[in-house]
């Protein structure tokens, strides 16, 4: 019997790669947004004038927030692929809880506005 994620070396490798590159991407997006904001973006009549540096920073922060959700989704996929249904059910439950929190949070934000 496998014991959790420690019994899944493929899962550990996939998660390490996704989290490493995801963190780098989110950090790069935030750095780009800070550079654009420092440079006074948007300037002139540009097509992307509606996108400010702070919007780019917000997108980078959103990427950081999405990384744990992506991790749970990848865990679910790997557990299903390896037919480890007990851990797949746990990952599916966690994804369901995250999804319900998102839906109820968005509903509360819409009704408060």
């Amino acid at each position: 019997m496998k014991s959790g994620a420690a019994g899944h070396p493929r899962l550990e490798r996939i998660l390490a790669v996704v989290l490493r590159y995801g963190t780098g991407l989110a950090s790069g997006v935030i750095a780009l947004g800070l550079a654009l904001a420092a440079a006074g973006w948007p300037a002139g009549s540009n097509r992307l004038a509606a996108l400010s540096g702070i919007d780019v920073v917000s997108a980078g922060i959103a990427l950081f927030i999405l990384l744990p959700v992506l991790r749970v989704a990848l865990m679910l996929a790997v557990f299903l692929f390896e037919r480890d249904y007990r851990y797949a059910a746990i990952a599916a439950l966690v994804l369901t809880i995250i999804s319900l929190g998102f839906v109820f949070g968005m509903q509360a934000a819409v009704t408060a506005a």
Side-chain angles (χ1 to χ4, degrees):
M1 175 160 34
K2 299 175 186 173
S3 59
H8 298 278
R10 177 187 308 168
L11 175 63
E12 292 174 9
R13 283 192 307 271
I14 292 170
L15 290 176
V17 168
V18 167
L19 294 176
R20 181 180 302 123
Y21 289 116
T23 301
L25 176 66
S27 297
V29 170
I30 289 173
L32 174 66
L34 290 173
L36 290 174
W41 181 268
S45 59
N46 203 333
R47 279 191 202 179
L48 296 176
L51 188 66
S52 70
I54 300 303
D55 293 334
V56 177
V57 171
S58 296
I61 293 170
L63 286 173
F64 269 125
I65 292 170
L66 287 175
L67 279 175
V69 178
L70 179 60
R71 176 185 175 163
V72 175
L74 283 172
M75 290 174 70
L76 174 62
V78 170
F79 288 143
L80 285 174
F81 181 75
E82 293 184 356
R83 296 189 173 132
D84 195 345
Y85 298 118
R86 177 183 297 164
Y87 289 109
I90 293 169
L93 177 64
V94 171
L95 272 178
T96 302
I97 291 168
I98 291 170
S99 299
L100 287 173
F102 177 76
V103 167
F104 289 137
M106 290 301 292
Q107 185 180 23
V110 167
T111 57

